[in-house]
Amino acid sequence: MNNILSLSYNDLSPNLKTCLLYLCIYPEDYVIERDILVRRWISEGFISEERGQSKQEVAENHFYELINRSMVQPVEVGYDGKARTCKVHDMMLELLISRSVEDNFISLAVHSQTDLAKCDGLIRRLSVQHIDQELASILANEELSHVRSLIMIASTCIRHLPRIVRFEALRVLDFQDCESLHEYDMNGIDKLFQLKYLSFRGTYMSKLPSGIVRLYGLETLDLRNTDIKELPAGIIKLVKLQHLLIVRYNRFVGPVGNTKIPDGIGNMRNLQAISGFNIIKSSLCAVEELGNLTGLKELHLQLDGGGSQEYKRHEDMLLSSLCKLGTCKLQSLHTYSCDSRPLQFLDSWSPLPGNLKIFQMTTSFSYLPKMPKWTVPALTSLAYLKINLIEATEEDLRILGEMPALLCLSITINTVQKERLTVQGVGFPCLKEFCLIRATCRASAVYLTFEEGAMPKVEKLELLLFVLVAEAYGFYLGLGHLPFLRDAEVTLYNDADTSSEIKSAAGAAIRKEANSHPNHPRLSIIDVMSDWHYYTIDEVDDYTDDEESYSLRSELFSRKWIYLELKYV
């Protein structure tokens, strides 16, 4: 097997060999994120522009080619069919470690076991997968001035690591998930003049080291899942920065942005992706300066404070900035909020954001009264749309069905619609995933069916079914008209008048449709009562000491809320 893997490895181009060899910096069974990996490759200097393609595009192509050659295994695959994460098979990892030792490419340190003795006194890249006092003593006697990458894999005793100033040649420094990072002395970090990639992700640090504002060559600063609410004023001097990521993820409410946009951000013209900034906590000047970031491709923002006059001024300024960005390179806009302020101001987004590929709303409270005016077939690049509507109409579905590039559509409604909706037999030429789901904070339901020819390529389906309305039509959905269907999830909405016999009949009819489908799609059916109460996480925390007072419905955790049946409270 080793000989076969060696043949595959030797058949790679020199660039692909280097990129693949780099993966042994991760431990066995580690899930590797594509976006992080390609940024590291670029920071290491492995990637050059080719035939009019940017470094980012070249690096992503290398990632996909390694997957296509089965050198690495895809783990999570996105709506567009492209892998978002991967991992290395343990036998391939053994081969890569062996080659890495031969070439002195990467040095591994796990507890007190290292391959540092084979480095001929020169460590180029160092992966520390756990550090203790014994390993610290070994590293203290090593020459560290040539280390280009230092990767700490969730180390808990990081205080033993040699001082940062000894790693003077670093290009990549990653402390992801090192929760004891506050114990480590960061003095001298500003001496890392070649540093391009810096990650404090998952460390929960609350304040950045002061020297960061002098890392003038920095291209990626990853502060996701930290407690940083304000960046130092000098951050705007990092004019080469391309990725500034600060969003924090909560497993119940999703992304949260608490950080102020720094005044002067308009000077950071190389920024391509920013996340985790809170509009209402930022100055009007900073919100206005967002419009100067003409190279920005990804913008993820928190929008709170609905109804206040201050919010209205910020809202108007944000719209002005979005109108400017929409004419440039903006490809992804993700808004998240925790209040009920409708995002109706987006209805005035003009001219059309011609390069927009992804638009996503993440909120359990804010719903648009109608589809925004800019969601028209002229948006020829829009591939992913996640939107909240008070109600969905057949006209909405008709317009969306004319979008030529749409691959994933998710609509959340927050009303009970008592009329049947039908997806006509034309449109949605490329759609692969379709979700029409219920609001998590109030009763909502709809009954949707598919005509022949509707959604000809859809593979994944998530639907509501209003049982009392569907009963008049024999609970028919039209799954047989979806020739590529592979997965279906149907949520049965019942009110107090729905008998157990009707619910059983609905489930049986849906299962019969799925079983008669030539693809035999995987089917899951969820039964929801309309008289359930919905609790926020804070409310649930008040009940956690009394486990017998309620029953948790774990299968509904994906809605980021916890459902409790009233009869058990």
Side-chain angles (χ1 to χ4, degrees):
M1 181 61 73
N2 188 61
N3 289 336
I4 294 172
L5 293 176
S6 295
L7 284 173
S8 298
Y9 174 81
N10 292 331
D11 189 48
L12 297 176
S13 67
N15 286 348
L16 280 177
K17 282 182 182 177
T18 301
C19 290
L20 179 60
L21 209 56
Y22 187 79
L23 300 187
C24 72
I25 210 165
Y26 297 102
E28 185 176 340
D29 293 327
Y30 192 92
V31 177
I32 304 166
E33 294 183 35
R34 176 195 63 200
D35 292 345
I36 289 178
L37 181 61
V38 299
R39 288 170 193 155
R40 283 193 192 166
W41 283 344
I42 292 170
S43 299
E44 285 274 3
F46 299 159
I47 308 296
S48 301
E49 294 181 356
E50 296 179 5
R51 297 183 297 276
Q53 291 184 318
S54 67
K55 290 182 180 180
Q56 178 82 14
E57 292 169 332
V58 172
E60 289 180 355
N61 288 339
H62 285 1
F63 178 83
Y64 299 135
E65 186 168 355
L66 291 175
I67 288 177
N68 292 337
R69 288 172 173 260
S70 299
M71 307 301 284
V72 297
Q73 303 169 312
V75 177
E76 179 188 358
V77 178
Y79 67 91
D80 53 1
K82 296 179 180 179
R84 294 176 178 173
T85 61
C86 72
K87 64 181 180 179
V88 184
H89 191 277
D90 54 355
M91 296 189 70
M92 176 59 77
L93 185 60
E94 288 180 15
L95 172 67
L96 296 179
I97 292 174
S98 173
R99 293 298 181 97
S100 176
V101 171
E102 290 176 12
D103 298 341
N104 192 20
F105 188 76
I106 290 176
S107 302
L108 303 177
V110 185
H111 295 279
S112 58
Q113 300 178 0
T114 75
D115 55 19
L116 300 180
K118 305 173 185 177
C119 294
D120 299 324
L122 186 65
I123 304 174
R124 290 190 174 92
R125 298 169 186 87
L126 179 60
S127 174
V128 180
Q129 297 172 16
H130 179 80
I131 188 168
D132 52 22
Q133 190 65 58
E134 186 175 356
L135 177 56
S137 299
I138 296 173
L139 290 175
N141 296 317
E142 295 290 339
E143 174 58 57
L144 302 173
S145 61
H146 299 284
V147 178
R148 296 164 61 92
S149 282
L150 174 60
I151 311 299
M152 304 294 295
I153 306 291
S155 292
T156 56
C157 300
I158 198 171
R159 65 182 180 276
H160 299 307
L161 185 70
R163 292 186 64 206
I164 198 72
V165 291
R166 294 189 57 194
F167 299 91
E168 61 187 56
L170 281 180
R171 287 173 173 249
V172 173
L173 178 57
D174 195 330
F175 289 113
Q176 181 171 338
D177 295 329
C178 295
E179 296 183 7
S180 60
L181 186 62
H182 62 279
E183 301 175 359
Y184 183 59
D185 183 7
M186 286 284 182
N187 287 327
I189 195 172
D190 57 326
K191 306 301 182 185
L192 306 181
F193 302 117
Q194 300 182 59
L195 196 65
K196 295 180 179 294
Y197 181 101
L198 177 58
S199 176
F200 293 127
R201 180 180 178 184
T203 61
Y204 298 101
M205 68 189 312
S206 57
K207 186 178 181 180
L208 287 177
S210 58
I212 280 185
V213 299
R214 292 184 289 279
L215 296 175
Y216 301 118
L218 202 61
E219 295 176 354
T220 295
L221 180 56
D222 192 343
L223 306 174
R224 287 175 287 183
N225 286 341
T226 63
D227 291 327
I228 294 170
K229 293 181 172 59
E230 188 168 1
L231 297 172
I235 200 80
I236 64 172
K237 298 177 183 177
L238 307 185
V239 294
K240 293 186 178 181
L241 203 62
Q242 298 177 13
H243 305 93
L244 181 54
L245 312 172
I246 319 179
V247 67
R248 183 166 183 172
Y249 291 94
N250 181 297
R251 68 173 180 171
F252 294 113
V253 299
V256 178
N258 289 321
T259 309
K260 294 169 60 176
I261 303 172
D263 290 333
I265 194 173
N267 297 322
M268 305 172 74
R269 298 298 182 94
N270 284 305
L271 278 174
Q272 297 179 15
I274 56 178
S275 70
F277 286 120
N278 190 300
I279 292 298
I280 195 64
K281 292 183 179 180
S282 306
S283 69
L284 277 174
C285 180
V287 177
E288 181 181 18
E289 288 186 271
L290 289 176
N292 297 333
L293 304 177
T294 55
L296 199 63
K297 296 180 180 179
E298 299 179 23
L299 179 60
H300 298 183
L301 298 170
Q302 176 101 11
L303 299 171
D304 287 330
S308 68
Q309 187 60 37
E310 183 182 9
Y311 179 86
K312 184 64 171 64
R313 290 194 295 269
H314 282 71
E315 183 182 85
D316 293 341
M317 194 60 72
L318 176 59
L319 177 61
S320 175
S321 293
L322 287 176
C323 290
K324 295 177 183 177
L325 295 175
T327 63
C328 299
K329 298 180 179 180
L330 188 64
Q331 297 179 3
S332 174
L333 178 62
H334 185 178
T335 65
Y336 27 92
S337 65
C338 296
D339 62 26
S340 58
R341 173 72 177 180
L343 303 179
Q344 290 176 260
F345 73 96
L346 289 176
D347 204 40
S348 302
W349 195 358
S350 178
L352 291 177
N355 293 312
L356 194 68
K357 295 181 179 180
I358 299 171
F359 178 81
Q360 183 171 358
M361 289 176 61
T362 299
T363 173
S364 297
F365 303 99
S366 181
Y367 291 81
L368 299 175
K370 59 181 180 180
M371 288 292 298
K373 294 176 183 177
W374 52 266
T375 51
V376 294
L379 283 182
T380 56
S381 299
L382 191 66
Y384 181 99
L385 179 61
K386 183 177 185 292
I387 196 165
N388 292 9
L389 296 173
I390 293 177
E391 65 176 7
T393 68
E394 290 188 357
E395 178 63 13
D396 293 335
L397 296 173
R398 185 193 65 78
I399 293 173
L400 293 171
E402 295 177 3
M403 290 188 168
L406 198 59
L407 295 173
C408 179
L409 173 61
S410 177
I411 302 175
T412 303
I413 62 170
N414 77 338
T415 56
V416 176
Q417 299 184 217
K418 297 184 178 181
E419 300 295 328
R420 180 178 67 160
L421 292 183
T422 301
V423 182
Q424 305 297 325
V426 291
F428 297 105
C430 301
L431 196 70
K432 293 189 175 183
E433 297 184 12
F434 176 64
C435 302
L436 182 59
I437 56 180
R438 66 196 303 268
T440 55
C441 55
R442 66 187 65 190
S444 50
V446 69
Y447 171 47
L448 182 76
T449 62
F450 301 91
E451 287 188 351
E452 185 174 359
M455 299 186 179
K457 295 185 179 180
V458 77
E459 299 175 1
K460 184 177 180 181
L461 192 65
E462 192 173 341
L463 286 181
L464 279 169
L465 188 141
F466 191 177
V467 173
L468 287 185
V469 176
E471 182 185 12
Y473 301 91
F475 310 107
Y476 173 78
L477 291 175
L479 300 183
H481 295 152
L482 309 175
F484 286 89
L485 188 63
R486 295 287 182 271
D487 293 275
E489 178 183 302
V490 181
T491 298
L492 303 182
Y493 175 87
N494 308 287
D495 59 22
D497 296 328
T498 307
S499 66
S500 58
E501 291 80 8
I502 294 176
K503 289 190 288 184
S504 298
I510 295 168
R511 283 190 290 271
K512 181 178 180 181
E513 269 198 75
N515 291 335
S516 62
H517 195 290
N519 295 340
H520 302 292
R522 288 184 292 268
L523 175 67
S524 60
I525 299 176
I526 299 173
D527 191 359
V528 176
M529 290 294 295
S530 66
D531 59 349
W532 283 15
H533 186 69
Y534 306 89
Y535 290 82
T536 64
I537 299 308
D538 291 338
E539 289 176 304
V540 170
D541 288 342
D542 293 338
Y543 290 93
T544 51
D545 292 334
D546 183 10
E547 294 183 0
E548 296 182 358
S549 66
Y550 62 86
S551 111
L552 293 178
R553 287 297 183 102
S554 59
E555 70 270 17
L556 297 174
F557 258 51
S558 61
R559 294 289 177 271
K560 303 182 180 68
W561 288 69
I562 296 177
Y563 294 69
L564 308 178
E565 287 185 288
L566 275 175
K567 62 183 179 181
Y568 293 124
V569 174

